Amino acid sequence: MAHTGTGFFDRKGNFFKTARDATVSDIAGLLGQIGEGESLAPGIAYMLLERRGEIERLFAEHDRMLEEEASIKAAKDAASPDNVAKLPSRPVG
């Protein structure tokens, strides 16, 4: 007897029974071939998905550090102007 079911597709159009498997396939595709022979990408993709919360926290911390680094650089640049003088441009020809 026929019945209905639910499935999930990755970005390449491959069918998977679970959303997790489809997402792992997409992440593995982004990572590409890792290692010799059979790629390690699917296993790495699975671990990335499993540790998503920790990874997102690390990226949030990274973003905050980049903002802090940019503000420190801007303050430093404002406090001491460049020691390099710009030369007037010469006409071509």
Side-chain angles (χ1 to χ4, degrees):
M1 171 184 245
H3 61 281
T4 61
T6 301
F8 301 89
F9 295 90
D10 66 5
R11 291 181 181 187
K12 293 181 182 176
N14 299 313
F15 174 82
F16 294 91
K17 291 182 180 180
T18 67
R20 176 180 301 277
D21 291 341
T23 303
V24 166
S25 176
D26 282 335
I27 294 171
L30 289 173
L31 294 173
Q33 176 70 26
I34 299 175
E36 299 288 327
E38 190 174 333
S39 178
L40 300 173
I44 294 169
Y46 178 79
M47 292 302 299
L48 290 172
L49 192 59
E50 287 295 307
R51 297 180 183 213
R52 178 182 176 175
E54 297 168 50
I55 292 167
E56 287 176 346
R57 274 191 297 282
L58 287 173
F59 276 115
E61 290 173 11
H62 176 73
D63 292 342
R64 284 192 299 274
M65 287 188 290
L66 289 178
E67 290 172 5
E68 183 178 334
E69 181 181 46
S71 66
I72 290 170
K73 184 179 183 315
K76 182 180 175 185
D77 289 346
S80 62
D82 291 336
N83 292 333
V84 178
K86 293 188 179 187
L87 298 174
S89 57
R90 292 186 275 163
V92 178

